[in-house]
Amino acid sequence: MRAFWKLTVAEFKLFIREPLAIFFILAFPLILLWLNGSQGGRIDRLLPGYVALILATVGLTQLPSVLATYRERGILRRLATTPVRPATVLGAQLVVHLAASTIGVALLLAVASAFYDLPLPRAVPAAVFVYIAGALALYAIGFVLAALAPNARTANAVGFVIYFPMIFLSGAVIPREALSTSMRRIGEFLPLAPVVTALRDAWSGTGITTLTLAALAAMIAVASAVGIRLFRWG
């Protein structure tokens, strides 16, 4: 356990040295908040999407890039020969990326509450549950990307190619009701869509549908199984 926490602290220090990651996790959601909040947009309808945006940023762009880099440089192979188990490495990455996501979300909520009168979620336990489930689902997809990418550059490029269309079509940046019918239908089939939907339902207190929960559970189960099956340590 001591090795796990030492590795986690070291990984977190490395993570915060990445300026691109810091921008998309901390600054980009605040810019969107300022742009839409200043124009009188409904913050309680927009905030859940921004939370999902942060999770997608970490899961689809940062996590696969880090793991692919470690494999390409032989770090994972060397760690596999030490007392530090591979599972410890993956566990440390999960904690670091979840912590980074949570810091970004906490900052976003603090600013939205202070300057835009953001109401608290009507179903707080449900919102927390969906947040964790959404993180696990998107991180599992990131793990699959890391498993398939031959190198760090490919992992980074593929992650962003998936990331940008997804955040705009799934309702994370622009509410899906503002999109055309065809774009809405495409967005409904993207992995980020159930995360956005579940967060919005928890925030409004309308209740999360069984179909949305099933979609999140399926993403976690399938992506985790595929990632574990395909992942290479060297």
Side-chain angles (χ1 to χ4, degrees):
M1 185 60 70
R2 185 178 179 184
F4 170 78
W5 288 115
K6 281 188 174 181
L7 182 60
T8 300
V9 170
E11 291 292 339
F12 189 78
K13 290 179 179 178
L14 292 173
F15 184 91
I16 61 178
R17 293 176 184 174
E18 294 292 333
L20 193 62
I22 298 302
F23 172 79
F24 277 103
I25 294 171
L26 299 183
F28 186 45
L30 292 179
I31 292 172
L32 293 175
L33 175 66
W34 173 69
L35 289 174
N36 290 288
S38 299
Q39 295 177 4
R42 283 195 59 185
I43 299 302
D44 60 323
R45 296 290 289 172
L46 298 171
L47 242 292
Y50 298 163
V51 172
L53 168 68
I54 293 173
L55 294 177
T57 300
V58 173
L60 301 180
T61 67
Q62 300 306 311
L63 181 60
S65 178
V66 170
L67 290 177
T69 298
Y70 282 10
R71 185 179 63 238
E72 183 180 6
R73 295 179 179 177
I75 296 174
L76 293 179
R77 191 187 308 111
R78 291 196 295 271
L79 284 173
T81 64
T82 69
V84 179
R85 294 176 177 271
T88 304
V89 179
L90 295 180
Q93 290 296 329
L94 178 63
V95 170
V96 167
H97 286 83
L98 185 58
S101 299
T102 304
I103 291 171
V105 170
L107 177 62
L108 177 66
L109 296 182
V111 173
S113 299
F115 295 97
Y116 300 101
D117 298 322
L118 173 71
L120 291 175
R122 293 187 179 180
V124 174
V128 173
F129 172 80
V130 169
Y131 172 75
I132 295 174
L136 292 176
L138 293 169
Y139 295 176
I141 294 173
F143 190 53
V144 173
L145 294 179
L148 294 174
N151 51 57
R153 179 174 295 181
T154 302
N156 197 40
V158 172
F160 273 106
V161 166
I162 296 173
Y163 169 78
F164 279 112
M166 190 180 296
I167 63 174
F168 285 102
L169 294 177
S170 64
V173 174
I174 302 171
R176 283 203 302 276
E177 50 266 31
L179 300 174
S180 65
T181 302
S182 59
M183 292 295 100
R184 254 195 329 268
R185 289 175 178 171
I186 294 173
E188 289 174 356
F189 293 97
L190 297 177
L192 190 56
V195 181
V196 176
T197 300
L199 285 169
R200 289 180 66 173
D201 290 343
W203 215 284
S204 64
T206 56
I208 305 167
T209 66
T210 303
L211 181 61
T212 302
L213 291 175
L216 290 174
M219 282 195 294
I220 295 172
V222 173
S224 296
V226 172
I228 291 171
R229 177 69 178 84
L230 298 179
F231 195 77
R232 309 178 313 278
W233 295 102

